[in-house]
Amino acid sequence: MSFGGWLLWGFVATVVLTTVMAGSQGLRLTRMNIPYMLGSMFTPSRDRAKAIGFGLHLMFGWLFALIYVAAFHAWGAATWWLGAAIGAVHALFVLTAGMRIMPGLHPRMASEEQGPTVMRQLEPPGFLALHYGVQTPLFAGLAHLFYGALLGAFYPLPG
Amino acid sequence: MNEIHDYAIIGDCRSAALVSREGAIDWLCWPRFDSPALLSALLGEGAGRWSLRPARSFRAERAYIEDTNVLETRFFTDGGTLALTDLMPVAAEAEKRRMLMPDHEILRMLGCERGEVDAEMRLEVRPNYGRDRPTIRRAGELGVRIETPEGLLTLRSDLDCEVRDDGVVTARGRLREGERRYISLSFAAQWQAIIPPLGDRARQAIQRSIAWWRQWASKLEYQGPMKASVVRSALALKLMIYAPSGAIVAAPTSSLPERVGGDLNWDYRFCWLRDASFTVRALFGLGCYEEAEAFLSWLLHSTRLTQPRLRVLYDVYGRQPRSERELSHLGGYRGSRPVRIGNAAADQLQLDVYGDVIDAAVQFVRRGGAFDRDTQRMLCAFGEYVCEHWRQADEGIWEPRSGRAEHTHSRVLCWTALDRLLELHQNGCLRRAPAARFAAARDAIKNEVETRAFNASRQCFVATLDGDRLDANLLLLPWYGFADAASANMKSTYAAIRDELGAGGHLLYRYRESESPEEGAFGICSFWGAEYLAMGGGTAEEAARALEELCGYNNDVGLFAEEIEPSSGAALGNFPQAFTHVGLISAALTLARRLGHQARAPAQPAAGEQPAAGG
């Protein structure tokens, strides 16, 4: 395994994913802000949540890149389309299973069944994160496709 | 349809809503003052309204909770009394760090104080000034979700809501004595929404907001005549400050007419530089140092992209507003069409803005502030621009769309700009200023105004060079230090203005009524008259009488529009109007100083701390 390649391209891919999501949020195509969602697990302060969440998101980006790298090694090939294919599966998992379990994991997230409480007020994502806008799955999917394609295209497979 | 003065304002220093005496919110723009309206029944039936009131006939009384912008409307019915509390919750930054809060929220609390009352609610959201229909769906315990192009609205209510096929959300419920119901409408534009619970959280939000406003009001240093009116004006002004940038919008509404049924309908949800000097002096005079310095900082930052040319108006972030457009689908307030959004005055030339911006900057220095080198260079560049352009004709302060003229007021403000820059230079705050050039231009302007703007046959100053018309803005010559209020020339000018522009009592039109028939008396011009008296144009008693009379033209909750219909006292124009409230505050401060109530003088540099303002 190329440790340097994983670190570098895992970082670049995460930055691109974050940029696509932040850009679509800035253009009001979605209200999903992953760093805020992660950071608000630890603090109600919006500014602090964004900062903490950004750090966590970067770390998760690197960790997930390890799975991609493992897949490349298992297949003995790393191409942009192979990376994009893993990205598609990754996005599907995040948008379906990941988002559905968020209200159970997140201490500040409300649920449709119980409604908001003094502690739990953050809007839950719903199926495919559609609560954050109907275009959310599209841009979350695109961001993950870019993430995987970058890793696949640039991760240097030894040998 | 309601009169303009039948409305009260609630807000969160980022956006505002107008609430009618009948408990209807007829104007709401989120997330900013100048965002497309979500509720705009004010400008056309069917364009969005949120009403909450007794189901049967009632009589209503209302007032702000003392020293707050939290509105209480009491409905008296045959069966009992219902109190409606309306607010946009606010909190200190430290509190916001400790809890989740929606980006924007309107919280409405119904409380039955006597007997039994059936209440009904009807919410019809029509985004984009009534052009769009939102997607509405019930989301279980999360409330009713209303998707708009601007963002997500979430309605949560203690009353049982029904979502009708036509996109209207209704609710009804019976309240018995001592019972309360909460209704919350929150908004999320860019983030995952924060969905506020009701009950205790809502009660605490109201208490927190009341405490926040009272704490802010307690910092006001004003001790003088008409204190209640001054405090209400300060609270209204605070509502119109866009907290993230420090900018102050002229009014939170668009197209409320200056002439009912006419076409003088403009969008005022922007920041006019011409208001700068008055606003900064008023804020400093009240002791609102943070707001004054934030506004000044916005003023100097917002103009960066166009310097040394200053535009007439900017949006709350210092950008050019979108070009002016007419909304033909809206019928307008009482048929006053067209309804406009955006403001074409942005492209006009108004040379007076240089004097206003520089005078505002000087107020900061007079209170001990200092400028960095970039800001000094910028101020010098403004001075150079004035030296090169002061001879030009311009549109002037009233922004007529009929062309340019050589306005006396604009010339005097060019003089003010150079005079203040020379003051800064002499105080060592503007070391590299081309003082000789500034002084020569300043003296030339003064000479021209004294010879060409003073009409010898009328024995008074006139609105344009070599002209014979009057304009109420001539009352400002002493305010800027150009002329002595007690001088014979100013006294004769004041007498001529009262005679020709008087609208009854101390009300003044801004110019001759025949030039703009059916337009009301201009609020700030009338206060300029009172302030002129307080500055030495009359006795203190005369000034106090004028101020007291003018304060009486406010509505039942202490708010002023841009204009006042002289015969009925009705409000005309956009509402509430920051400039009118600034005029009231300024006149009161001047009178208070004259009466010795107010120790704070505007002109003396403060010793000690030297806060720095970047440009």
Side-chain angles (χ1 to χ4, degrees):
Chain A
M1 175 185 154
S2 165
F3 189 74
W6 162 63
L7 269 185
L8 173 65
W9 296 109
F11 176 76
V12 171
T14 307
V15 166
V16 169
L17 182 146
T18 309
T19 306
V20 172
M21 288 308 294
S24 55
Q25 190 198 352
L27 293 169
R28 306 230 170 142
L29 301 167
T30 173
R31 284 184 291 104
M32 183 154 87
N33 183 308
I34 297 172
Y36 177 60
M37 191 157 41
L38 292 173
S40 58
M41 287 180 165
F42 302 94
T43 172
S45 164
R46 192 158 289 200
D47 290 336
R48 279 187 208 153
K50 278 188 282 183
I52 294 169
F54 188 80
L56 283 173
H57 192 222
L58 196 62
M59 202 174 73
F60 287 153
W62 261 318
L63 288 176
F64 273 105
L66 266 182
I67 299 171
Y68 283 63
V69 165
F72 296 147
H73 279 276
W75 275 315
T79 63
W80 70 267
W81 56 267
L82 202 52
I86 305 172
V89 175
H90 182 181
L92 204 61
F93 174 78
V94 169
L95 288 169
T96 53
M99 291 298 149
R100 290 212 92 142
I101 60 169
M102 275 307 276
L105 295 176
H106 198 302
R108 290 189 171 81
M109 190 169 277
S111 72
E112 290 195 39
E113 293 75 32
Q114 290 163 359
T117 65
V118 172
M119 181 68 184
R120 292 175 171 270
Q121 297 183 36
L122 191 67
E123 179 188 19
F127 181 63
L128 295 178
L130 284 166
H131 283 182
Y132 301 153
V134 290
Q135 300 185 90
T136 304
L138 175 68
F139 287 95
L142 270 178
H144 285 85
L145 286 180
F146 283 130
Y147 174 87
L150 263 169
L151 275 172
F154 295 106
Y155 176 72
L157 207 58
Chain B
M1 194 172 215
N2 285 297
E3 297 280 352
I4 293 171
H5 57 249
D6 281 332
Y7 286 94
I9 183 175
I10 56 172
D12 58 4
C13 303
R14 286 163 178 78
S15 57
L18 292 194
V19 188
S20 79
R21 194 186 294 279
E22 286 83 31
I25 296 179
D26 286 348
W27 182 254
L28 170 66
C29 301
W30 269 341
R32 293 189 337 219
F33 293 110
D34 59 342
S35 301
L38 297 163
L39 306 175
S40 46
L42 186 64
L43 299 178
E45 279 303 318
R49 165 175 287 159
W50 184 14
S51 68
L52 184 56
R53 60 183 196 173
R56 291 187 177 176
S57 62
F58 58 85
R59 176 176 62 82
E61 287 177 7
R62 63 185 181 166
Y64 285 110
I65 294 176
E66 191 179 4
D67 290 344
T68 75
N69 279 312
V70 177
L71 183 69
E72 265 192 349
T73 307
R74 260 185 193 80
F75 301 107
F76 300 93
T77 72
D78 289 342
T81 305
L82 195 63
L84 169 64
T85 305
D86 281 317
L87 71 152
M88 286 193 190
V90 288
E93 289 304 316
E95 289 172 316
K96 286 182 190 172
R97 283 194 287 273
R98 290 199 299 269
M99 60 191 171
L100 294 173
M101 279 185 77
D103 290 349
H104 299 279
E105 183 186 10
I106 291 177
L107 189 54
R108 314 190 80 178
M109 181 184 78
L110 281 171
C112 186
E113 297 181 335
R114 181 183 63 83
E116 229 177 62
V117 183
D118 285 330
E120 63 180 17
M121 186 204 81
R122 186 179 189 280
L123 171 63
E124 182 180 19
V125 176
R126 296 298 305 275
N128 200 7
Y129 305 100
R131 280 185 291 211
D132 296 342
R133 285 189 181 275
T135 307
I136 305 178
R137 76 172 183 89
R138 299 186 69 117
E141 294 297 319
L142 298 181
V144 177
R145 292 167 60 88
I146 305 169
E147 290 278 0
T148 78
E150 292 294 312
L152 173 74
L153 290 161
T154 305
L155 177 73
R156 304 203 71 249
S157 168
D158 282 338
L159 303 172
D160 288 334
C161 290
E162 181 192 345
V163 180
R164 294 190 339 203
D165 293 340
D166 60 357
V168 176
V169 184
T170 59
R172 205 178 167 103
R174 175 166 294 178
L175 281 82
R176 295 178 180 82
E177 190 168 319
E179 287 184 343
R180 284 179 180 172
R181 301 281 188 277
Y182 295 95
I183 301 112
S184 157
L185 184 70
S186 56
F187 179 76
Q190 287 203 345
W191 307 83
Q192 289 94 336
I194 303 297
I195 303 168
L198 302 174
D200 276 351
R201 196 284 318 181
R203 185 180 53 76
Q204 285 163 9
I206 295 173
Q207 293 309 318
R208 192 167 47 242
S209 301
I210 290 171
W212 190 90
W213 283 113
R214 284 186 171 155
Q215 201 257 343
W216 185 84
S218 72
K219 289 193 282 189
L220 298 174
E221 296 175 358
Y222 181 78
Q223 297 295 333
M226 306 308 296
K227 187 175 177 187
S229 294
V230 171
V231 171
R232 177 50 53 199
S233 290
L235 283 160
L237 195 59
K238 175 70 175 168
L239 268 188
M240 287 182 263
I241 296 177
Y242 185 70
S245 69
I248 303 176
V249 295
T253 58
S254 174
S255 296
L256 288 177
E258 294 169 21
R259 185 167 54 209
V260 173
D263 61 353
L264 298 176
N265 318 315
W266 316 110
D267 191 350
Y268 274 22
R269 297 171 298 161
F270 308 109
C271 316
W272 267 258
L273 295 192
R274 68 153 193 242
D275 302 353
S277 175
F278 266 94
T279 305
V280 168
R281 285 204 210 186
L283 290 171
F284 273 130
L286 290 171
C288 303
Y289 307 110
E290 280 179 26
E291 287 79 4
E293 289 174 19
F295 178 60
L296 186 63
S297 180
W298 171 82
L299 205 62
L300 298 176
H301 274 102
S302 66
T303 56
R304 281 270 155 150
L305 292 177
T306 60
Q307 289 169 14
R309 171 93 195 263
L310 293 175
R311 289 189 174 270
V312 175
L313 58 101
Y314 296 83
D315 79 359
V316 292
Y317 283 118
R319 300 170 300 202
Q320 282 301 291
R322 293 177 67 181
S323 55
E324 187 174 286
R325 282 172 297 151
E326 295 180 1
L327 300 180
S328 56
H329 67 284
L330 288 174
Y333 176 83
R334 295 194 165 190
S336 307
R337 300 181 71 180
V339 170
R340 296 183 177 92
I341 54 170
N343 199 307
D347 299 321
Q348 290 188 350
L349 175 68
Q350 292 181 23
L351 290 168
D352 56 303
V353 297
Y354 293 87
D356 278 314
V357 168
I358 293 170
D359 187 74
V362 168
Q363 301 309 312
F364 173 69
V365 173
R366 285 178 181 175
R367 283 171 171 78
F371 294 123
D372 59 29
R373 284 185 188 172
D374 281 348
T375 307
Q376 290 180 37
R377 269 195 292 274
M378 175 175 64
L379 291 170
C380 284
F382 289 156
E384 298 275 10
Y385 186 91
V386 170
C387 288
E388 284 166 25
H389 294 89
W390 68 267
R391 287 185 176 83
Q392 275 184 258
D394 71 349
E395 267 87 3
I397 185 174
W398 303 127
E399 303 170 356
R401 304 210 173 172
S402 51
R404 295 180 176 179
E406 293 182 306
H407 292 101
T408 304
H409 175 264
S410 297
R411 289 285 201 279
V412 169
L413 266 293
C414 286
W415 174 89
T416 304
L418 298 172
D419 186 70
R420 301 301 186 272
L421 289 175
L422 287 164
E423 177 190 324
L424 290 177
H425 177 66
Q426 282 158 11
N427 292 341
C429 300
L430 209 60
R431 292 196 186 91
R432 296 188 179 178
R437 187 175 184 216
F438 287 177
R442 178 191 63 175
D443 296 344
I445 298 170
K446 187 165 180 83
N447 183 51
E448 185 173 79
V449 171
E450 285 175 346
T451 53
R452 294 180 61 198
F454 191 81
N455 186 311
S457 60
R458 297 198 64 175
Q459 281 298 298
C460 63
F461 287 104
V462 285
T464 53
L465 303 187
D466 306 318
D468 60 359
R469 290 185 306 106
L470 288 173
D471 191 308
N473 62 30
L474 296 165
L475 294 171
L476 292 175
L477 268 55
W479 199 84
Y480 288 109
F482 186 88
D484 182 357
S487 67
N489 286 353
M490 275 313 302
K491 285 197 167 183
S492 59
T493 301
Y494 176 71
I497 287 172
R498 282 294 299 273
D499 184 47
E500 200 169 308
L501 304 184
H506 287 86
L507 289 176
L508 294 174
Y509 294 110
R510 54 179 160 173
Y511 34 63
R512 262 198 303 251
E513 198 196 355
S514 58
E515 293 172 42
S516 185
E518 295 178 55
E519 194 179 308
F522 219 77
I524 194 165
C525 296
S526 306
F527 284 112
W528 287 343
E531 186 160 12
Y532 166 77
L533 295 172
M535 289 180 75
T539 64
E541 290 71 28
E542 285 173 320
R545 269 201 306 277
L547 183 64
E548 189 176 342
E549 179 203 312
L550 293 172
C551 286
Y553 286 104
N554 61 9
N555 75 351
D556 57 329
V557 289
L559 300 175
F560 282 93
E562 184 175 34
E563 298 182 7
I564 299 154
E565 206 285 305
S567 58
S568 65
L572 290 171
N574 283 308
F575 179 85
Q577 173 88 353
F579 210 23
T580 309
H581 284 284
V582 165
L584 186 157
I585 295 167
S586 182
L589 285 168
T590 300
L591 179 59
R593 276 193 293 273
R594 179 151 177 196
L595 294 171
H597 289 301
Q598 191 85 357
R600 186 169 306 284
Q604 296 307 312
E609 217 176 338
Q610 297 267 317

